[in-house]
Every structure is written in structure tokens, then in C-alpha cells.
Amino acid sequence: MIRTFIKERISWIFLIVLLQLLGLFMAYLDPSLSLESMLYYMFLSLVISSLFVIIRYFRETAFFKELDARDSTTDITTLPQPNSPFEALVYDQITSPVEQLEKEASINQLLLEQEKDELLSWIHEVKTPLTALRLIIDRTNDPTLKSELMHEWLRIHFLLDQQLHQKRIPFIENDLFIEKVDLEPLLYSEIHTLRSWCVKKGIGFDVGLASSEVLTDAKWLAFILRQLLTNAVKYSEEGSEIRIQSSLQKGQTTLTVADNGRGIDPRDLSRIFDKGFTSTSQHQDQHATGMGLYLAKKAAAPLGIHISVQSTVGSGTTFTLTFSQENQFLQIQGV
């Protein structure tokens, strides 16, 4: 800060030195001026000027020292109080835009909350005619027509479900209810939802759960499984089988969902959980939203679930959910 102050006040220092030299020069030109008296004056002047500069250093740099030591944040309450008109000018130039941005952010937050509430309300309203449509489809006697209608109904149902959970994920911590959950009924419930689609493609399931109890939130775990299962069914070949297995390793339960589908290109593996990413090898796929795996990953993080993937092009893909140990999970949640 001393070096900065000297750079800022270098013109003052030059002026003081110039005045001393001017006095010395005048004493040299004017014999009536005593050189000893002028040197004494210069000495006193330099002492007074030095004291002035030192005092001004401490007074003028106190504000900027606190400003320099302050963490980079928009919290204006951490700003030092100004002690001079120039410091007040700097203070106002910092606080005014921040206060304006905070007001705009508050308004935008309210608008986003309103939009979220309206969208959630709309989704719930749409579910009513969607349920009625499901009942109408169930009464359809034509098996081919019924299968086609159920396939389209499922697509609408899952898109609405994704949108609903996408809006809820930012507030997932407020919606968690952690308990011991049995994987078996949860899995079979999700498989049952996909039954018509699986029947149409001739896809079966091989379920083997060596460890079926985990500590998690049942609703959000069901959502994660829904994304993995729909992906597995979507990309599996007709007449193939999806294998779902669980095991207990070093106190941690792992659940794998493996299909025999087209697999994932190695260059895409690191990006499949990115928002909006679909595929580079099948980029023309208009039905892919690129949101399922992204939302699954986002929902898994607060639950302490790690999702990993292994895939071979042309041989299939395996997703693995690794659940935290109970004590680790409680530490993550701060319980």
C-alpha cells in the first residue's frame, strides 16, 4: 500500500522537492538571503512536509486497505465507511449498482417463482385429462391401436414428469424424506409403468437383488430409476433383456441397470450427463431431449448417490448407482 500511495502522490512529492530547490536557488541568486537561514528553513519545511505526508498516508489509505482486504462479494455491509468526499464517491459508485442489481434480482426471483408455480399448476391440471385418457385407452379393444396409444401416452407422461421434477430439483432439499427403502417394490412399480412399451418391443427384465434395502428418498430414487429404465428400454434392441442387479460391497449397496442396446460412443461418455446433450453419433434423433440423465445426476447428488456408466458401442450400456453408507449419508446431510 505504501508503494501505491507514493505512486498516487508522486506529484505532491515532486512539488515539495521543487519548492525546496527553488528556495535554495533563490538564496544562491540573492546575496541578501542567508544560505544558513535558507537551509534551516528547508530543513524545517522538509520535516513538516514529511509529517504531513505520513499523516495523510494513514488517513487516506485506511479506507482502501479495508477495501483491498475485503472478500469479493456483493454484500455492501462489509464495505468500509468513507471518511472523505472522494471515498464517499467511491463508496456510492460501488453500492449504487449493487443495490440496483439486488432489486432487479429480487424482482426476477419473484417472477421465476411465479412462473414455476404456474407451470407446476399447469402440469398438475394436465395430469387430470391424461389420467382420463389412460382409462379410455384401457377400454380400447384393438390391441394394435391400444399399444400405439399407450406408447404415445407414456411419452407425454414421462415428458411431463421430467418437467415437473426439473422445476422441483432446485428445491430438492426441502422435499426430501429420508428413510429405509426397499428397492424391489420400487423397481417393479417403475417396470410395470413401462409394461406396454416393453411388450411392444419384446423386452424382458432379469432382476436379481442381493441387497435391496437402502437409506434414501423413495420418490426421488424412483425418479432416477425412471430415467435409467426409460433410456434402457428406448435404446435396447427388440427382443433383448435388461438386467437389473444389486450387491453389497464394502458396506455400500450398488444397483446396476444394463441393456444390450446400441451403446454410447466413447467420445460421448463424458458428456451424457450434461444438460441438453443428446448424442454425436445419433445427432439426428429428434425425440431425444438430453434432459433425463442430466436430471438424474442432479437429483442423485443430494441423496449421496454416485452414478457411473460403462458402455461399449454395439454391445450395450451399464449404469451403476452406488449408495452411500448410512453413516456417510448422514454426514453428507448434516444429520
Side-chain angles (χ1 to χ4, degrees):
M1 187 61 71
I2 293 176
R3 184 179 298 177
T4 305
F5 178 77
I6 292 174
K7 287 181 179 179
E8 178 68 22
R9 297 292 180 244
I10 193 69
S11 58
W12 286 17
I13 297 171
F14 278 143
L15 177 62
I16 292 169
V17 172
L18 181 62
L19 290 175
Q20 306 311 309
L21 293 175
L22 179 62
L24 189 62
F25 182 66
M26 289 174 63
Y28 173 76
L29 294 177
D30 190 351
S32 63
L33 295 175
S34 170
L35 185 60
E36 289 79 7
S37 298
M38 187 56 68
L39 288 173
Y40 181 66
Y41 165 77
M42 289 176 62
F43 171 74
L44 291 177
S45 179
L46 284 172
V47 170
I48 294 171
S49 298
S50 298
L51 289 174
F52 173 77
V53 170
I54 291 171
I55 292 170
R56 294 308 302 174
Y57 166 76
F58 286 107
R59 287 180 62 85
E60 293 184 17
T61 59
F63 175 81
F64 294 100
K65 280 181 179 178
E66 291 185 45
L67 197 62
D68 186 54
R70 173 178 171 267
D71 292 333
S72 183
T73 174
T74 57
D75 184 8
I76 60 176
T77 60
T78 62
L79 286 171
Q81 291 301 312
N83 296 312
S84 71
F86 280 128
E87 290 176 4
L89 183 62
V90 172
Y91 183 87
D92 291 339
Q93 288 298 315
I94 294 175
T95 56
S96 296
V98 171
E99 289 174 348
Q100 182 63 30
L101 287 173
E102 286 180 345
K103 288 179 182 178
E104 292 177 2
S106 178
I107 294 171
N108 290 334
Q109 183 65 31
L110 288 174
L111 292 174
L112 284 174
E113 286 288 334
Q114 183 179 354
E115 182 185 353
K116 178 180 73 72
D117 293 339
E118 290 174 355
L119 182 58
L120 291 177
S121 176
W122 179 83
I123 291 172
H124 285 296
E125 288 178 7
V126 169
K127 282 188 173 183
T128 302
L130 200 62
T131 302
L133 181 61
R134 172 66 185 270
L135 295 174
I136 295 172
I137 293 173
D138 288 340
R139 293 199 297 267
T140 303
N141 295 323
D142 187 337
T144 304
L145 178 62
K146 184 175 183 178
S147 176
E148 293 293 335
L149 289 174
M150 274 303 301
H151 177 64
E152 297 304 323
W153 182 91
L154 273 175
R155 286 180 59 194
I156 299 172
H157 172 72
F158 286 137
L159 286 172
L160 285 173
D161 183 67
Q162 274 191 3
Q163 189 64 247
L164 179 65
H165 285 83
Q166 183 181 355
K167 292 299 179 182
R168 286 178 173 172
I169 277 179
F171 315 97
I172 186 173
E173 288 82 1
N174 301 329
D175 191 39
L176 293 180
F177 178 68
I178 307 303
E179 59 183 340
K180 288 188 176 180
V181 176
D182 190 353
L183 289 173
E184 187 171 348
L186 202 66
L187 271 169
Y188 281 116
S189 173
E190 295 302 322
I191 292 172
H192 179 76
T193 305
L194 296 166
R195 181 183 58 181
S196 60
W197 192 7
C198 293
V199 169
K200 181 181 178 181
K201 295 187 69 174
I203 293 174
F205 287 88
D206 178 14
V207 181
L209 303 178
S211 176
S212 63
E213 194 174 78
V214 293
L215 185 67
T216 189
D217 180 283
K219 181 175 69 175
W220 283 100
L221 177 59
F223 171 73
I224 295 169
L225 292 174
R226 198 173 307 139
Q227 308 314 306
L228 300 184
L229 291 173
T230 52
N231 261 26
V233 174
K234 179 179 180 180
Y235 297 115
S236 288
E237 299 293 335
E238 292 188 3
S240 62
E241 188 175 67
I242 297 172
R243 300 176 305 282
I244 303 174
Q245 297 177 328
S246 71
S247 61
L248 189 64
Q249 300 176 3
K250 298 180 181 179
Q252 291 181 291
T253 299
T254 61
L255 179 71
T256 60
V257 178
D259 63 64
N260 296 313
R262 71 188 188 194
I264 303 171
D265 194 299
R267 63 184 175 180
D268 292 346
L269 276 176
S270 61
R271 302 176 61 191
I272 61 172
F273 295 108
D274 292 348
K275 185 176 182 179
F277 179 75
T278 53
S279 171
T280 56
S281 58
Q282 299 288 332
H283 203 60
Q284 71 279 5
D285 188 355
Q286 300 296 321
H287 299 298
T289 63
M291 294 299 294
L293 293 179
Y294 164 76
L295 294 175
K297 188 82 169 181
K298 292 280 286 185
L303 296 175
I305 300 173
H306 176 69
I307 305 180
S308 58
V309 58
Q310 292 179 326
S311 183
T312 303
V313 176
S315 299
T317 303
T318 300
F319 284 93
T320 302
L321 301 181
T322 303
F323 296 86
S324 297
Q325 295 180 2
E326 183 172 342
N327 57 344
Q328 292 177 340
F329 181 79
L330 295 178
Q331 289 174 5
I332 291 171
Q333 296 299 315
V335 178

